[in-house]
Amino acid sequence: MSLKPREHDRKYGELDHVVRAYLGHRADTGQAPPPATPQTRWEWHARFPELAQFLGGWFSQDMPDEFEDHDAAVQDYLDTTDSGLVAQLTGEVHDLLTLPLDETDYALAVTELGMEVDPPAPYTLGAWLVVLAGQLRST
């Protein structure tokens, strides 16, 4: 059974490879920026590509129309995405949490990475990212 383009990209994450090739970057040998806190949108996306895919794809402004709540969006990602990409996302969330960021910095980070909705009540962005890391780790 063939997959629709969106389903195929969710499962195999190939859109990132196409975009990198278009921009002249080799997808298989791309170097991530050094472990400093990213300063530009490009640095955020280069350092956290799967987190950008996740936040931009599942937590855009359409998220409330597509999913009942944040947990349902996370579960949809887990149900429809290859386990290798889930593992990559798990590592990237943990990497983000190791950066010396405050709540303002987390807001900048998730905005740069494509999140267009607030975290679920009663969580701050930092607290929600910790919860998300736990959800991903338990899969």
Side-chain angles (χ1 to χ4, degrees):
M1 181 172 133
S2 65
L3 298 173
K4 293 180 180 174
R6 184 174 179 188
E7 293 167 340
H8 189 273
D9 185 54
R10 278 185 173 180
K11 185 164 182 154
Y12 299 105
E14 292 177 343
L15 180 60
D16 186 52
H17 294 284
V18 171
V19 170
R20 286 177 187 267
Y22 176 78
L23 294 173
H25 302 286
R26 290 188 50 150
D28 57 348
T29 61
Q31 294 295 317
T37 301
Q39 299 299 310
T40 66
R41 183 175 188 281
W42 179 89
E43 290 175 348
W44 283 108
H45 281 259
R47 176 98 179 259
F48 302 104
E50 189 57 25
L51 184 55
Q53 181 75 14
F54 172 71
L55 293 176
W58 279 262
F59 293 95
S60 69
Q61 63 186 4
D62 296 329
M63 178 257 179
D65 297 329
E66 295 180 24
F67 303 105
E68 182 178 323
D69 57 20
H70 288 67
D71 288 335
V74 172
Q75 191 59 53
D76 181 72
Y77 173 85
L78 295 172
D79 291 343
T80 60
T81 305
D82 181 74
S83 62
L85 292 173
V86 173
Q88 180 178 339
L89 174 64
T90 303
E92 289 179 15
V93 171
H94 285 281
D95 286 348
L96 179 63
L97 291 170
T98 64
L99 294 174
L101 304 177
D102 60 22
E103 285 302 316
T104 303
D105 297 325
Y106 282 127
L108 173 67
V110 299
T111 299
E112 291 289 355
L113 293 169
M115 187 170 180
E116 297 176 331
V117 296
D118 291 329
Y123 299 108
T124 63
L125 281 169
W128 179 69
L129 289 167
V130 170
V131 169
L132 174 63
Q135 288 175 300
L136 295 170
R137 190 173 38 245
S138 67
T139 59

